[in-house]
Amino acid sequence: MKPAELVDAIVRPELTALAGIDAQAARTRTKKMAGDPFAFYRGSLSLSAWWLTAQVGTGGAWVWANGDPHHQNMCTLRVGAVKRDGGQAVTYDLSDADDEYPAPWRWDWLRLLAGIALVRPTLKRKPFAELIAAGLADYTRVLRQWNTDERSWARIDRDGLPTVLQRQLDEDQDDAKRDGYIERLSDGQHLRLGQECAADPAAKAALMPLLQRQFDHEPPGLGTAKRPAFELLDLARRVVPSGLASLGRRRWLALLCERYAPRHAQLRIIELKERLPSTLARVLAVTPFPPAVAGRADLCVTMGGDPFQIVLRGAGGRYLVRSRCYTRESIDPTTLDDGDALRAFRLWGHLLARYHADGLTLLGVDVAAHIRRVAEEAEAQAFMLAEQARDLAELHRAAWKAFRDAR
């Protein structure tokens, strides 16, 4: 099919369906996608899934895939457990789990790499393949370490990070920035209504007790002997536009107080976001995993060490619950020199390995056997992935032009 035909068959029906739910979200998404090739790429995961099925196929080892790990979905996060002294670390991790689903391990890699190829179109074949080889080397190394040393397999060496990311991690560690973010959304007891939040009494009445019961029954996994007390203070609907791919999903923010000691309490913003079926599920009806676990919509790999992240079932559907923070800064591939580009690819390989291993653990399968198969397949795939990623990028570039010109 020609790019224009693919746009009409795959992309536009999604926008039409979105317009039936939220006309403004559909208009915003259409405008953003027409703006540049990468924005179109972000908003057309269904087109990527179609191409991956048709051109890459479903053979080889599968994982619990993130589904949409482009470079802007890997960010700084400050959502982990708060220490008893009030300290809280800033990390860098995958920051979106809307489309996680069982898939061949290559699919996550190709979704990431095609995005890089789109924003860096002048990157030559050989350097691109060399960067991918470096990322795959760290990917396989981390996977193999999972079987040998569980205490260190997930650690990331700060000295090996891109210099721009090291600076960003330091900047995001500023407590004043964290406090200012929370103060901007609350007055200490209630979420402020206005530009970002709107009152939603019905959702507040339904979701606050649901959340509180979840935290009381299954306290967040803080890994400490003495767990803090949690008190939900308020909840409101979030009305600011969300990320491009998330436009149209209902979202709420809740204000939570963590109390670690009589004199030590800290506020945290919790987001509840509609958990819709993964885009990948449309093209991957059959998986090699047992049906009882493979299609479960409540499986979710924890991002950034967030102890509050869960998938919550309610009368209105499923919701992804997670902490929100002021950080969420990503790496811009167009600004990296050769050394930092190499460090970034290695870091992305590390994060994908950690995500895939954690996801296989959630699935309850023979993790060691699956990891071994994935590592073996990944060891000599750099050139093939580079060529496939370039092809996927070119498809989206041509489809974007057809989409833009037809508006």
Side-chain angles (χ1 to χ4, degrees):
M1 295 176 70
K2 295 180 179 179
E5 295 172 334
L6 290 171
V7 168
D8 289 340
I10 298 174
V11 179
R12 293 200 184 280
E14 283 191 345
L15 292 169
T16 300
L18 178 59
I21 300 171
D22 187 333
Q24 181 57 49
R27 288 191 292 270
T28 301
R29 187 169 179 176
T30 300
K31 181 179 180 180
K32 287 185 176 182
M33 288 176 65
D36 66 78
F38 184 70
F40 177 82
Y41 185 69
R42 288 193 60 182
S44 58
L45 177 58
S46 55
L47 180 56
S48 286
W50 172 86
W51 186 91
L52 289 165
T53 306
Q55 301 299 321
V56 178
T58 58
W62 284 47
V63 294
W64 180 261
N66 175 267
D68 193 18
H70 58 76
H71 64 271
Q72 289 188 350
N73 269 348
M74 298 184 183
C75 304
T76 58
L77 295 169
R78 199 180 188 191
V79 296
V82 179
K83 301 176 183 177
R84 294 188 65 81
D85 62 0
Q88 188 180 25
V90 179
T91 60
Y92 175 83
D93 203 352
L94 286 149
S95 62
D96 191 285
D98 288 345
D99 286 289
E100 51 188 347
Y101 195 75
W105 68 269
R106 294 177 182 84
W107 284 32
D108 268 354
W109 270 99
L110 287 169
R111 179 68 177 170
L112 169 64
L113 297 174
I116 304 297
L118 276 171
V119 299
R120 291 193 61 179
T122 60
L123 188 58
K124 303 298 183 183
R125 279 181 167 80
K126 184 178 179 181
F128 191 32
E130 289 173 347
L131 289 170
I132 295 171
L136 284 174
D138 264 46
Y139 179 72
T140 56
R141 175 185 61 79
V142 173
L143 287 177
R144 292 188 185 283
Q145 282 183 344
W146 185 91
N147 281 327
T148 59
D149 187 354
E150 293 191 19
R151 292 174 300 174
S152 65
W153 72 277
R155 293 177 190 159
I156 293 175
D157 178 15
R158 178 186 167 89
D159 292 337
L161 299 178
T163 53
V164 64
L165 180 56
Q166 292 186 38
R167 290 196 297 270
Q168 190 62 54
L169 289 170
D170 289 338
E171 291 176 9
D172 287 347
Q173 194 66 52
D174 185 358
D175 286 345
K177 292 178 67 175
R178 178 194 62 195
D179 297 342
Y181 171 77
I182 294 176
E183 288 173 5
R184 181 166 57 85
L185 289 172
S186 73
D187 61 7
Q189 294 295 324
H190 302 281
L191 290 174
R192 288 179 178 166
L193 306 181
Q195 183 180 0
E196 294 204 32
C197 298
D200 192 340
K204 183 175 179 179
L207 295 177
M208 289 261 294
L210 190 66
L211 266 179
Q212 190 66 59
R213 283 197 301 270
Q214 175 68 31
F215 292 155
D216 290 342
H217 174 68
E218 213 172 297
L222 300 178
T224 57
K226 295 182 179 180
R227 296 182 181 276
F230 309 109
E231 182 185 2
L232 282 166
L233 304 176
D234 200 4
L235 182 142
R237 181 165 51 92
R238 192 172 188 187
V239 294
V240 297
S242 57
L244 195 151
S246 297
L247 285 166
R249 296 179 190 244
R250 294 178 300 164
R251 299 181 302 159
W252 296 267
L253 292 180
L255 184 64
L256 179 143
C257 180
E258 306 171 72
R259 193 173 300 281
Y260 293 83
R263 296 184 179 181
H264 182 199
Q266 185 159 304
L267 297 176
R268 182 186 290 253
I269 303 293
I270 301 290
E271 180 186 63
L272 295 86
K273 182 180 182 182
E274 265 190 306
R275 177 79 159 180
L276 302 179
S278 169
T279 300
L280 302 191
R282 302 174 197 170
V283 297
L284 295 172
V286 179
T287 85
F289 301 116
V293 296
R296 281 178 56 189
D298 56 347
L299 293 183
C300 188
V301 175
T302 299
M303 299 174 289
D306 184 357
F308 289 88
Q309 184 179 322
I310 54 170
V311 175
L312 190 65
R313 300 187 189 192
R318 288 184 172 90
Y319 309 93
L320 175 62
V321 178
R322 58 183 179 177
S323 301
R324 293 295 300 189
C325 67
Y326 59 91
T327 59
R328 301 181 67 85
E329 297 291 337
S330 59
I331 296 174
D332 181 356
T334 66
T335 65
L336 303 178
D337 60 25
D338 291 345
D340 271 353
L342 187 66
R343 296 182 187 97
F345 272 76
R346 286 175 173 167
L347 175 60
W348 293 331
H350 190 130
L351 294 182
L352 284 179
R354 190 167 66 184
Y355 193 99
H356 290 167
D358 285 345
L360 287 168
T361 302
L362 287 178
L363 282 173
V365 299
D366 185 343
V367 181
H370 277 81
I371 281 179
R372 185 165 55 250
R373 286 190 60 199
V374 172
E376 290 170 355
E377 292 181 16
E379 283 182 325
Q381 297 286 319
F383 184 78
M384 179 185 296
L385 289 180
E387 292 303 302
Q388 291 174 334
R390 292 170 70 92
D391 290 344
L392 179 56
E394 285 308 308
L395 167 71
H396 279 80
R397 191 180 300 279
W400 165 70
K401 290 178 180 178
F403 181 81
R404 176 198 62 187
D405 294 343
R407 286 187 69 219

